[in-house]
Amino acid sequence: MIPYILHVALLIAVCLLFYKVLLQKETFYHLNRWILLGCLAITFLLPLIRVPQHWALRKAPEPTVNVVTPININQQEVRSQVTSVPQKQGATVSAPAAAKNVTEQAQNILPQVLKWVVYVYWFGVVAFGLNLLLQVIVLLMQAYKNPVIKDGQYRIIELDGDKAPCSFGNNIFINPAKYDWETYSQILLHEKIHIKQGHSFDLLMAELMLIFQWFNPFAWWYRKELENNLEFLTDSDVLNNKEVEREVYQMSLLKVSVPHLSLRVTTNYNQSLLKKRIVMMNAKRSNIHTSWKYFFLMPLMAFMVCALNQPVALSQETAKNKNYKWEDHSTGAWFATIKGDKLSIQFKKAGDDDDTWMNSSDFKVSDFTALPTNTKGDFKLIREAGTMNFTGKFEGNKGYGDYKFVADPSFATYLRNEGITKIDKEDDLAFFMINIKRGYVTMLKNNGYKNLSKDDLIAAAALKVDEPYIKFWAQSGFPKPSINDLVSGKALGISAGYFAEVKKAGYTNLTFDQLVSFKAQGITGQYLSKMNGKAPVTGREAAKATEKGAARIPVDDIISYKALNVDDAYVNALKAEGYTNLERGKLVSMKAVGVDAAYIRSLKAAGYKNVSADDLISAKSMGIKGDYAKDFTDAGYKNISLSTLVSLKALGVTADFISSFKKAGYDININDATSLKALGITPEYLKSFGSVGFDKISIGDATALKSMNITPEYISKMKEKGFKSNDISKYIQLKAAFE
């Protein structure tokens, strides 16, 4: 398992790269802020999620078997002579003593090194934690030691010396003597926006991240990008104030661009990223059509969860009740049926009032002492792990009675001496029911499987991982598959015949994990031959494959095709609609979101022809149907591109939404519709201003009013206080000045 703290570090790096590649240059600063904060939270939460095995991309943990033999294990199939396969002379060569000593020394040193790494990590956590605490204490001392001016919710702390302006909480730290009035006012406006929007919270979260990720360079970079975005956001909001001139504001930035030693937990008016801030202030505003980029975050995180998180282990058991354990089943009742030379026994623990019976079938009758017939008597089943004592009788081929298991303590002691770990007292019955023998443990050890856990041993024995099976894989190019690999192979029925079948289809260099994935997905040699004989690949990829002399479909793609049921019928249906040059990734994505021939035809009927595969995937993932596009056409909005439809759908803009404004007397365009929907502006909101004398406000004024959270009630209150104007923009300026 990936250690939690390294898992978090990797997720932080992925989120940072996602932001840098797709979002950094977008001017949706408020949205970027929540994306950065959200990613910060989920990087610490996602590693805690357990992934169902069928979704996971990484190998499952070592399979577990319930502490005793499950139902229906055929005991006769256990090969009691697994060590009988002779070793070829000279096949085993002992390592030189010197090399063995070096290996042992390395094994002894590694735990010590890891222990010191942990000590160093926690030392860093404590050091950075104390540093953050010290910063907060210093700021609080400055806030309540220096002269203060209260301006509503804001506290303006007057400082001495050459310190850059900054804010923390609701405190603004500034030396007023350093600046002219206009610059001073703009600094206060800038810092008030930081305070009003709670930017100190963002920085504190980033600092807490750094406490636990101090060793991670991506974490420091992430914090910097988060802080940069806060500055871009604040600059943008300052310039939205009509009383602030862009050139004057940028000049004020230059006036305070001097070296400073502001604390990291403060939002600083003067930043070293001055050039970037000015560039972003003058940058062209991002178009709503680029919002599609944000929708890639969720599938990216889902992929990371499936790729990195611990899968939920599937227990290698055959019992009806998968939660069944034997630790409290050392005594109870039994019911048996004789079938030829086999004895099928069901067990029921003592004191169990329900009708659940545990069944371990197909014991050999000859393994028992004499069975009592027609009269009550005792008989036994003796194995290396202990003895099962039975009391009861048989009438014909049916028998019933009570049982009691007595463990042989020497067997558990032997296993511990052989390096088998995590053995508990209740495991004795499991060893007995599976009939684990000393010879089996020796066989595993001779084949290189030493220091196994109890779960390793039980899983291997229960699924009949024997020496021929182990040697087959060693001879087939898998020098030493793990016990988990062998158990998975046995559980899925991966045999020599299946392996030969896959090799014959051209897949000769598979890893064991890939072979397991093939078998789990039901991929056969016939399927492989069919897919490669009619590979759904054309164009550039086919040319590359030909150049390399291998036109086989890659393993991961084959698995994706099978999992998504990409077959000839699907590919031919797409070709019939004109999609004959698809790359594998596009084909898989189209199938995954449900793009089929019927969907393509529905878009064509709505006027969307020759649509790219990417647009089809985006449209389908957003649930866009031909009817949705037709509604806009009927409403008078023709020739809307499919990418625009995706943006409209993402915001929830419908033709009915636009029509509602038309009915209210507003002739709006598509861009107006997206802005109105994004801000939550409705015709009812526009009409509500009629109560304060503004019967029909413009769309531009409406967006400004909503952005400033100006309501008719606010205008009414201002009129009561004597501020009366027939120009609604004056109320917008008034609200901006006092906020």
Side-chain angles (χ1 to χ4, degrees):
M1 177 181 177
I2 301 175
Y4 172 78
I5 206 66
L6 296 180
H7 194 156
V8 172
L10 182 57
L11 288 176
I12 288 174
V14 171
C15 289
L16 175 65
L17 293 175
F18 172 81
Y19 174 79
K20 294 288 289 182
V21 172
L22 291 180
L23 308 183
Q24 184 181 35
K25 295 183 180 179
E26 300 299 329
T27 59
F28 302 124
Y29 304 123
H30 286 277
L31 181 56
N32 283 355
R33 178 195 180 191
W34 295 114
I35 290 292
L36 287 167
L37 276 180
C39 286
L40 195 59
I42 63 178
T43 54
F44 284 87
L45 295 177
L46 284 186
L48 304 177
I49 298 174
R50 299 291 296 275
V51 184
Q53 179 58 52
H54 59 282
W55 290 353
L57 299 179
R58 59 177 290 197
K59 185 165 61 177
E62 297 173 352
T64 61
V65 177
N66 281 343
V67 183
V68 200
T69 232
I71 296 178
N72 295 330
I73 288 185
N74 188 335
Q75 299 293 339
Q76 187 176 1
E77 291 181 2
V78 179
R79 304 218 196 302
S80 60
Q81 302 300 326
V82 289
T83 58
S84 63
V85 178
Q87 297 278 350
K88 291 185 179 180
Q89 187 173 2
T92 302
V93 180
S94 300
K100 183 176 180 181
N101 291 336
V102 171
T103 302
E104 291 177 351
Q105 290 175 8
Q107 291 175 342
N108 292 332
I109 292 173
L110 184 59
Q112 295 297 323
V113 172
L114 292 176
K115 183 170 70 173
W116 278 104
V117 168
V118 172
Y119 288 158
V120 171
Y121 169 74
W122 283 110
F123 176 80
V125 169
V126 172
F128 280 90
L130 291 175
N131 178 60
L132 175 60
L133 181 62
L134 180 62
Q135 289 186 62
V136 174
I137 292 173
V138 169
L139 285 169
L140 291 176
M141 290 177 60
Q142 289 183 348
Y144 292 95
K145 180 182 69 174
N146 293 306
V148 60
I149 299 173
K150 291 189 176 181
D151 182 6
Q153 71 179 92
Y154 311 106
R155 300 177 74 251
I156 303 173
I157 313 300
E158 295 187 355
L159 302 177
D160 297 325
D162 189 22
K163 295 181 180 178
C166 60
S167 62
F168 179 74
N170 66 333
N171 300 295
I172 301 173
F173 300 88
I174 187 172
N175 181 356
K178 287 185 60 181
Y179 311 107
D180 57 66
W181 175 250
E182 186 173 34
T183 302
Y184 178 75
S185 299
Q186 291 187 358
I187 292 174
L188 292 184
L189 176 60
H190 179 100
E191 298 301 338
K192 284 179 179 179
I193 291 174
H194 277 310
I195 293 172
K196 182 180 178 182
Q197 297 183 4
H199 294 175
S200 294
F201 172 81
D202 301 49
L203 296 179
L204 280 173
M205 292 301 99
E207 289 297 320
L208 289 174
M209 169 194 68
L210 285 178
I211 289 176
F212 295 98
Q213 289 284 310
W214 57 267
F215 62 90
N216 181 6
F218 289 100
W220 292 89
W221 195 3
Y222 193 99
R223 185 206 181 282
K224 181 180 178 182
E225 292 301 329
L226 183 145
E227 186 177 15
N228 290 355
N229 184 68
L230 291 179
E231 292 305 321
F232 300 152
L233 183 158
T234 305
D235 291 337
S236 178
D237 286 1
V238 168
L239 293 178
N240 283 337
N241 190 323
K242 294 182 180 180
E243 294 183 356
V244 177
E245 295 183 10
R246 185 183 304 270
E247 293 77 9
V248 175
Y249 178 66
Q250 292 175 357
M251 186 58 67
S252 74
L253 289 178
L254 294 171
K255 289 180 181 179
V256 295
S257 60
V258 293
H260 57 87
L261 296 173
S262 297
L263 296 171
R264 290 205 315 269
V265 292
T266 59
T267 53
N268 303 301
Y269 185 78
N270 171 36
Q271 297 288 323
S272 60
L273 66 142
L274 178 61
K275 182 178 179 180
K276 287 185 180 179
R277 289 172 64 185
I278 293 177
V279 168
M280 293 302 286
M281 277 185 248
N282 294 286
K284 182 180 179 181
R285 300 294 92 178
S286 296
N287 191 290
I288 191 67
H289 296 163
T290 64
S291 61
W292 59 268
K293 298 178 181 180
Y294 292 87
F295 293 99
F296 279 97
L297 180 60
M298 187 174 294
L300 175 63
M301 290 297 100
F303 172 78
M304 295 303 295
V305 168
C306 294
L308 300 178
N309 284 33
Q310 179 74 45
V312 177
L314 295 178
S315 180
Q316 299 294 343
E317 56 192 20
T318 55
K320 291 181 181 177
N321 181 358
K322 292 189 178 182
N323 295 319
Y324 189 90
K325 294 185 178 181
W326 279 89
E327 63 262 25
D328 52 355
H329 290 70
S330 58
T331 61
W334 62 271
F335 178 82
T337 303
I338 299 175
K339 299 177 182 179
D341 63 345
K342 303 289 179 64
L343 184 62
S344 177
I345 303 179
Q346 292 178 311
F347 297 89
K348 184 177 182 181
K349 70 175 182 178
D352 195 348
D353 295 329
D354 62 27
D355 293 327
T356 303
W357 290 76
M358 285 303 294
N359 173 12
S360 183
S361 62
D362 293 340
F363 292 94
K364 294 174 69 174
V365 173
S366 59
D367 289 340
F368 294 83
T369 57
L371 303 180
T373 304
N374 298 324
T375 183
K376 187 175 181 180
D378 299 329
F379 63 101
K380 298 179 180 181
L381 175 62
I382 303 172
R383 289 177 168 175
E384 293 188 18
T387 301
M388 184 74 76
N389 298 292
F390 296 88
T391 299
K393 67 177 181 177
F394 282 85
E395 296 177 352
N397 64 343
K398 303 290 184 182
Y400 59 90
D402 299 318
Y403 72 86
K404 181 178 181 180
F405 172 70
V406 179
D408 183 346
S410 67
F411 186 74
T413 301
Y414 163 78
L415 293 180
R416 291 188 180 94
N417 291 338
E418 290 297 315
I420 306 299
T421 60
K422 301 180 181 179
I423 297 176
D424 299 317
K425 183 178 180 181
E426 58 267 21
D427 296 326
D428 293 329
L429 190 52
F431 300 143
F432 174 86
M433 296 300 292
I434 297 176
N435 196 16
I436 297 177
K437 300 182 179 182
R438 289 175 172 83
Y440 184 72
V441 177
T442 301
M443 180 276 293
L444 292 177
K445 187 175 180 181
N446 289 340
N447 282 279
Y449 297 97
K450 304 175 183 178
N451 301 319
L452 300 175
S453 70
K454 161 202 59 179
D455 292 334
D456 291 332
L457 181 61
I458 290 176
L463 289 164
K464 313 298 185 291
V465 175
D466 54 19
E467 190 163 36
Y469 192 73
I470 294 172
K471 288 188 175 297
F472 167 75
W473 292 114
Q475 294 163 3
S476 299
F478 300 90
K480 187 185 175 184
S482 68
I483 282 291
N484 183 63
D485 289 335
L486 295 172
V487 167
S488 298
K490 270 288 188 177
L492 290 169
I494 301 176
S495 62
Y498 178 75
F499 182 60
E501 182 182 328
V502 171
K503 286 179 65 177
K504 186 177 180 181
Y507 290 82
T508 57
N509 296 315
L510 294 178
T511 65
F512 209 98
D513 285 345
Q514 290 171 333
L515 195 60
V516 167
S517 297
F518 270 25
K519 186 66 175 179
Q521 290 290 342
I523 296 173
T524 63
Q526 182 181 5
Y527 177 82
L528 293 170
S529 298
K530 180 179 179 181
M531 293 303 290
N532 283 286
K534 298 179 180 178
V537 180
T538 57
R540 186 172 65 255
E541 289 191 0
K544 287 183 178 179
T546 302
E547 288 174 7
K548 295 178 180 178
R552 286 189 301 105
I553 300 173
V555 172
D556 291 341
D557 288 339
I558 279 287
I559 294 171
S560 298
Y561 288 161
K562 186 64 176 179
L564 293 169
N565 195 26
V566 176
D567 54 18
D568 288 345
Y570 179 72
V571 174
N572 291 333
L574 294 182
K575 287 181 178 179
E577 298 301 327
Y579 294 88
T580 59
N581 196 30
L582 292 173
E583 296 180 1
R584 294 189 183 103
K586 297 288 174 59
L587 185 64
V588 169
S589 298
M590 290 171 73
K591 182 67 174 181
V593 299
V595 175
D596 55 17
Y599 180 71
I600 295 171
R601 287 194 294 270
S602 71
L603 292 181
K604 286 181 178 179
Y608 293 94
K609 301 178 181 179
N610 301 320
V611 178
S612 70
D614 287 332
D615 285 342
L616 282 174
I617 294 166
S618 299
K620 184 63 176 179
S621 63
M622 292 302 301
I624 294 176
K625 300 179 181 178
D627 293 343
Y628 181 74
K630 189 173 182 300
D631 287 342
F632 284 99
T633 302
D634 294 343
Y637 295 92
K638 300 180 180 180
N639 300 321
I640 301 176
S641 68
L642 194 58
S643 60
T644 301
L645 275 183
V646 171
S647 300
L648 293 172
K649 185 71 173 181
L651 289 170
V653 178
T654 63
D656 289 340
F657 176 76
I658 296 176
S659 297
S660 67
F661 283 92
K662 284 190 172 182
K663 291 176 183 178
Y666 291 91
D667 188 14
I668 64 174
N669 58 38
I670 290 296
N671 289 331
D672 290 336
T674 55
S675 299
L676 293 169
K677 188 66 176 180
L679 291 169
I681 298 174
T682 62
E684 290 72 23
Y685 175 78
L686 299 177
K687 291 177 182 178
S688 67
F689 286 92
S691 63
V692 289
F694 298 100
D695 293 327
K696 189 172 182 180
I697 59 178
S698 69
I699 295 298
D701 285 339
T703 56
L705 290 167
K706 190 68 173 180
S707 299
M708 296 299 296
N709 196 25
I710 295 175
T711 62
E713 291 75 17
Y714 173 80
I715 294 176
S716 180
K717 287 181 181 179
M718 294 300 102
K719 286 185 175 182
E720 290 174 3
K721 293 180 180 181
F723 187 89
K724 299 180 180 181
S725 175
N726 294 326
D727 184 355
I728 200 167
S729 64
K730 298 297 183 184
Y731 292 95
I732 297 171
Q733 295 174 6
L734 178 67
K735 185 73 180 286
F738 284 92
E739 288 295 330

